Amino acid sequence: MEKNSEVIVVGAGHAGCEAALISARSGKETTLLTIDLDKMTRLSCNPAIGGPGKSQLVREIDALGGEMAKNTDRAVLHMRRLNTSKGQAMQIMRAQVDRDKYRQEMKRVLETEENLRLNEGMVQELIVESGEIKGVVIREGVSYYAPAVVLTTGTFLSGRVYLGEATYPAGRTGEPPAQKLSDSLEDHGLAVERMNTDTTPRVNGDTIDFSRLESQTTTDEPFAFSYISKKQVLDDDFPVYLTRTNEQTHEIIRDNIDRNPRYNGTVVSAHPRYCPSLESKIIDFPDRKHHKVFLEPEGEASKEYYLQGIYTSSPPDVQEDIVGSMEGLENAHIERYGYGIEYDFVPPTQLKNSLETLQIDGLYTAGQINGTTGYEEAAGQGVIAGINAARRGEEQVTLDRSQGFIGVMIDDLVTKGVDEPYRMLPSRAEYRIILRENNADLRLTELARELGTISQERYERYKDRKKRINEELERLQSTRVTPGKEVNDILKEHDTSPLEDQGASLYELLKRPELSWETILELGGLKNGTAPEIQKEVEIRAKYEGYIKKQEKRIKQFREMEEKELPNSLDYDELDGLSTEGREKLKEVEPRTLGQAERIPGVTRSDITILTVWLKS
């Protein structure tokens, strides 16, 4: 039996669902294949969206026409604004969501999307002819054909669960792994390696003594992750609670470390450094007296709490002792034990920036198969892979490091590769003052409009927001304040220098860190009728103007290097003078530009000079 479509997406996690939706919204007949239709976008780890580095990704996904932000707004239970002690440009959002509602709402969107068909089945083989993808074959015997295929297999490729001494094949606990697809990938010339990660125990809330725990309340400000969702103020019905490990907890772990598969030699593959297991934190940081553990609610209809910070693959009896050693959890009942999972991934240096594989034309990969970790990282890749799969045969779409966190992430993956599960961190983005959470729509909506992935309503909202920002900037820049006793008394009261003969515009005054929005309006005699989101963008532009200009200058230099393209036909073996390591790395990555070549680890400044001379000649 055969079926045909224009794009096939394999896997319905966060990467797969975004890839399938964006492909269908681009007008392509798209087939989404998954092992279990009831587990789509399952929040396998924590029931949360956003946070440092991730919130920016969610907003960029939204600006490009993806669904994650809107789905978060539909399923949100609790929201906090983080980094409030820092400047506005650094502040980001993190939402707790109802695990079941998130999955159900995403399934509803997928099932009602025009041009998208859902099918249940386990993909076991790729159909490849003359280096081009033609389709896939599922275990059930059906062949699906399409000129573009996106693989988003998560932790299912030859997945194996570890729980102390127990181990068994699984994509996630209770779900079957994809055992044959890895072999098919290798048969067609792609390298495959192993990674592992841990999950946490979940406990019954009725067995937690919340009276002894600190709580984090939800914000009282109106919020929405998506630019087109209606802002809402949440009731504080689902707070997050905080407890800590202690010396007893640490002693339990040390006494049983030989029973943990990571520490007894059973599992030797790479694991996350930025989301470490509890065992790693205790063993690697012996001087730390305690580690924070956040108790996160799983949903309105669920009693379960996710123990953020206790990532473990220790045996069940050890997990019982660990949980019971902490304040408020002495009598907590574990409903689900944490576990470790090891799985295959495709080293991402085998990809182009479009997320198409170098070895097989028309085959794209996104998510954990590329060596990443995190829902937001997966979804961001899914959007780009889905866009490009839909544009198969047309110019491919890539984001560079100056356009978004998605661009930074993908460039890191394809240029540097991974030696551990990759997590997006703000520190990875050298232009992060420009790539803010609050301006993703201003950076990416025009591109989405050109690609046809957003609605006319969405585009009109963007134009209106941009217009209002410009009008407010003009209002502040054209309103001047002259020196005078009343004005200078106010400035003195705020510990900032008085005005001299020429005076200053309100915009110039807003640059001063000592002066708030309300104060500069008072100085100018203006009323504050500006919407909060417009005010925030204008204030950031004023107060960070110096930093923004510096980064814009650096971006100009960066783009000059990115414009110097390296041909695919370039034979690095014929270039005299390249270092041995540099030559091997250049052949492995096949950089598109001189700028990308410069970012490859192991490529020296001398190697770049040789490439520059070659380009000029």
Side-chain angles (χ1 to χ4, degrees), residues 193-197 262 266-271 341-343:
E193 297 179 8
R194 299 284 276 176
M195 274 188 176
N196 75 85
T197 190
R262 279 194 185 170
T266 303
V267 176
V268 297
S269 55
H271 60 273
I341 185 162
E342 190 175 39
Y343 54 94

Side-chain angles (χ1 to χ4, degrees), residues 10-17 32-34 36 39-42 110 152:
V10 178
H14 300 276
C17 288
L32 177 59
L33 294 166
T34 184
D36 189 340
K39 302 291 175 59
M40 296 189 295
T41 60
R42 180 180 174 187
L110 290 159
T152 67

Side-chain angles (χ1 to χ4, degrees), residues 242-501:
L242 172 64
T243 188
R244 292 172 174 81
T245 64
N246 51 54
E247 186 51 43
Q248 182 187 355
T249 315
H250 300 186
E251 193 65 30
I252 291 167
I253 289 171
R254 287 191 289 264
D255 289 346
N256 292 278
I257 198 66
D258 61 328
R259 299 178 64 196
N260 185 284
R262 279 194 185 170
Y263 284 87
N264 63 17
T266 303
V267 176
V268 297
S269 55
H271 60 273
R273 179 161 47 111
Y274 295 106
C275 196
S277 69
L278 182 58
E279 291 82 8
S280 296
K281 289 191 281 190
I282 304 308
I283 300 301
D284 296 346
F285 303 98
D287 296 332
R288 288 284 298 274
K289 300 302 181 184
H290 68 263
H291 297 273
K292 291 181 178 180
V293 177
F294 294 92
L295 283 65
E296 302 179 343
E298 297 254 331
E300 290 188 50
S302 174
K303 293 288 187 180
E304 287 183 85
Y305 275 77
Y306 178 92
L307 302 184
Q308 171 78 278
I310 308 184
Y311 299 100
T312 183
S313 53
S314 287
D317 61 304
V318 177
Q319 293 190 38
E320 296 278 3
D321 291 341
I322 288 171
V323 171
S325 70
M326 289 181 282
E327 186 173 16
L329 300 178
E330 292 89 348
N331 299 307
H333 169 65
I334 298 177
E335 292 192 353
R336 307 178 201 232
Y337 293 109
Y339 62 89
I341 185 162
E342 190 175 39
Y343 54 94
D344 286 348
F345 78 101
V346 174
T349 50
Q350 302 173 96
L351 304 175
K352 304 172 186 176
N353 281 66
S354 62
L355 296 180
E356 184 180 23
T357 61
L358 292 167
Q359 291 85 347
I360 303 173
D361 291 344
L363 178 65
Y364 300 80
T365 59
Q368 284 182 279
I369 190 174
N370 290 341
T372 62
T373 181
Y375 313 138
E376 301 86 351
E377 288 87 345
Q381 295 170 68
V383 167
I384 298 301
I387 287 171
N388 285 319
R391 294 174 62 85
R392 175 87 173 108
E394 302 176 53
E395 183 180 357
Q396 298 286 273
V397 173
T398 60
L399 296 182
D400 68 37
R401 301 182 73 88
S402 68
Q403 291 176 286
F405 272 46
I406 294 175
V408 172
M409 171 179 62
I410 292 175
D411 185 69
D412 280 349
L413 292 173
V414 305
T415 302
K416 302 174 182 178
V418 294
D419 55 14
E420 61 177 317
Y422 178 99
R423 178 180 177 180
M424 188 65 228
L425 302 169
S427 59
R428 298 187 191 275
E430 56 269 55
Y431 311 122
R432 56 187 172 275
I433 297 295
I434 287 176
L435 307 180
R436 303 184 298 278
E437 177 201 79
N438 72 296
N439 73 349
D441 62 328
L442 301 175
R443 292 185 275 116
L444 297 173
T445 301
E446 290 289 357
L447 173 61
R449 171 72 168 174
E450 292 174 15
L451 298 172
T453 57
I454 59 171
S455 66
Q456 182 64 28
E457 177 193 2
R458 173 62 176 270
Y459 186 64
E460 293 299 329
R461 288 197 186 190
Y462 151 76
K463 287 200 302 182
D464 178 66
R465 174 167 142 82
K466 187 176 179 180
K467 177 184 176 184
R468 286 188 291 149
I469 289 169
N470 290 333
E471 287 175 348
E472 190 62 23
L473 284 167
E474 184 179 348
R475 181 171 80 130
L476 298 186
Q477 290 166 347
S478 62
T479 304
R480 296 193 66 81
V481 177
T482 56
K485 184 178 185 306
E486 184 179 350
V487 168
N488 284 334
D489 282 348
I490 293 174
L491 296 176
K492 183 178 179 181
E493 183 182 327
H494 288 85
D495 297 321
T496 186
S497 58
L499 290 180
E500 302 297 339
D501 295 340

Side-chain angles (χ1 to χ4, degrees), residues 17 70 105 137 142 157 208 226 265 285 342 355 393 406 408 439 455 484 498 501 522 541-542 544 565 574 616:
C17 288
K70 288 182 284 187
E105 285 294 319
V137 180
V142 181
L157 282 183
I208 299 170
S226 174
F285 303 98
E342 190 175 39
L355 296 180
I406 294 175
V408 172
N439 73 349
S455 66
D501 295 340
E522 179 188 351
R541 292 193 192 188
Y544 289 84
E565 296 185 0
E574 293 187 355
K616 288 181 178 178

